Amino acid sequence: MIQIEGLTVRFGGVVSIDDMSITFPGGTCGLIGPNGAGKTTFFNVLSGFVTPASGTVSVDGIDLLAMPDFQRARWGLRRTFQTEQAIEKMTVYDNVLIVSEHTSKLSRAAAAADVSQAIELAGLKDKAKVAVGTLPASDRRMVEVARAMVGSPKVILLDEPAAGLPEGETERLANTIKQIPDAIGATVIVVEHDMSLVQACCTTTAVLDFGRMIANGPTGEVLRSPKVLSAYLGGEELL
């Protein structure tokens, strides 16, 4: 469980996150909102890239903000970014292995099993020895997800994982994301503009608008909320 209380982030005179309070209950949770709503800033706070003006963030009672940013990955925080981070000249296996080596103290055999599990869960088992740079965009995106699943993560933050993917590949991605909590035991938070993916894999969804939390609850109910529709698309249907 991830509990946020009174989180506020300011950049000069701009309030990017305004007194945000929410509990992410576990499983797979969506975080949506218009561009500039504060979603990526929220991820940056959890990652340690941004220091909030006030507020608390705790995960199962552990004060995340009290932990130095360089320790959070080893503790169990994983994240993908909107831009690809995988090393193109390395194989899929080695890209995932390097994350495992830097975030855990597993034996060689245990690390190999951990990496293989993540690659298989991402649907890349047959491409484990292929250089990432030769893969299509959809597979490269899945490499990013696989890299986030190694080293026994507690929290996985996925920042627009479906950006640019065709509908068929979005379904594949959603199926993988849905399996993560049960397969690995991590809580997943998905920031995404593709509402079909949010609907397919997120049990609960929260909505930010101009840095303020305007809705939170079961995904279907949130996506049908008139307040959310108005903030997001001027009242049009999201799905």
Side-chain angles (χ1 to χ4, degrees):
M1 184 173 66
I2 305 171
Q3 191 165 6
I4 317 296
E5 293 288 347
L7 189 68
T8 298
V9 176
R10 296 187 181 94
F11 298 108
V14 177
V15 180
S16 181
I17 297 179
D18 189 2
D19 195 28
M20 177 181 179
S21 294
I22 184 175
T23 297
F24 293 99
T28 301
C29 311
L31 180 61
I32 66 173
N35 288 329
K39 305 181 298 298
T40 296
T41 298
F42 174 66
F43 274 13
N44 286 342
V45 170
L46 269 60
S47 305
F49 301 150
V50 169
T51 300
S54 61
T56 62
V57 178
S58 62
V59 182
D60 293 335
I62 297 172
D63 184 355
L64 189 65
L65 300 184
M67 191 181 304
D69 53 3
F70 61 87
Q71 290 184 358
R72 296 184 196 185
R74 188 173 292 277
W75 167 82
L77 182 72
R78 302 286 183 277
R79 178 181 177 178
T80 66
F81 294 81
Q82 294 177 19
T83 56
E84 295 178 8
Q85 302 294 307
I87 303 169
E88 292 188 352
K89 293 183 178 180
M90 296 177 65
T91 66
V92 171
Y93 184 92
D94 287 341
N95 261 281
V96 180
L97 177 63
I98 198 171
V99 176
S100 178
E101 290 176 339
H102 283 81
T103 58
S104 65
K105 297 181 179 179
L106 297 175
S107 67
R108 181 174 297 181
D114 185 35
V115 171
S116 295
Q117 179 193 27
I119 290 173
E120 184 170 1
L121 189 58
L124 297 169
K125 182 177 180 180
D126 295 338
K127 301 173 182 178
K129 298 303 181 182
V130 177
V132 168
T134 66
L135 295 174
S138 56
D139 284 339
R140 296 199 305 271
R141 194 66 53 81
M142 298 307 297
V143 173
E144 302 283 348
V145 176
R147 283 161 53 93
M149 292 192 290
V150 291
S152 301
K154 297 177 178 67
V155 177
I156 296 177
L157 310 176
L158 302 178
D159 197 351
E160 298 192 24
L165 293 182
E167 183 175 347
E169 295 301 331
T170 298
E171 182 178 353
R172 170 193 176 193
L173 175 62
N175 288 335
T176 297
I177 293 173
K178 282 194 298 186
Q179 297 179 61
I180 292 175
D182 289 337
I184 299 175
T187 295
V188 182
I189 303 178
V190 182
V191 163
E192 187 53 66
H193 289 288
D194 187 328
M195 293 302 106
S196 65
L197 183 136
V198 173
Q199 177 80 355
C201 69
C202 297
T203 304
T204 63
T205 294
V207 186
L208 276 175
D209 188 31
F210 292 106
R212 295 192 66 86
M213 189 66 59
I214 64 170
N216 178 37
T219 297
E221 294 180 11
V222 168
L223 296 185
R224 291 190 297 269
S225 164
K227 189 174 183 179
V228 173
L229 295 174
S230 177
Y232 218 106
L233 291 173
E236 298 177 15
E237 293 291 334
L238 288 175
L239 292 173

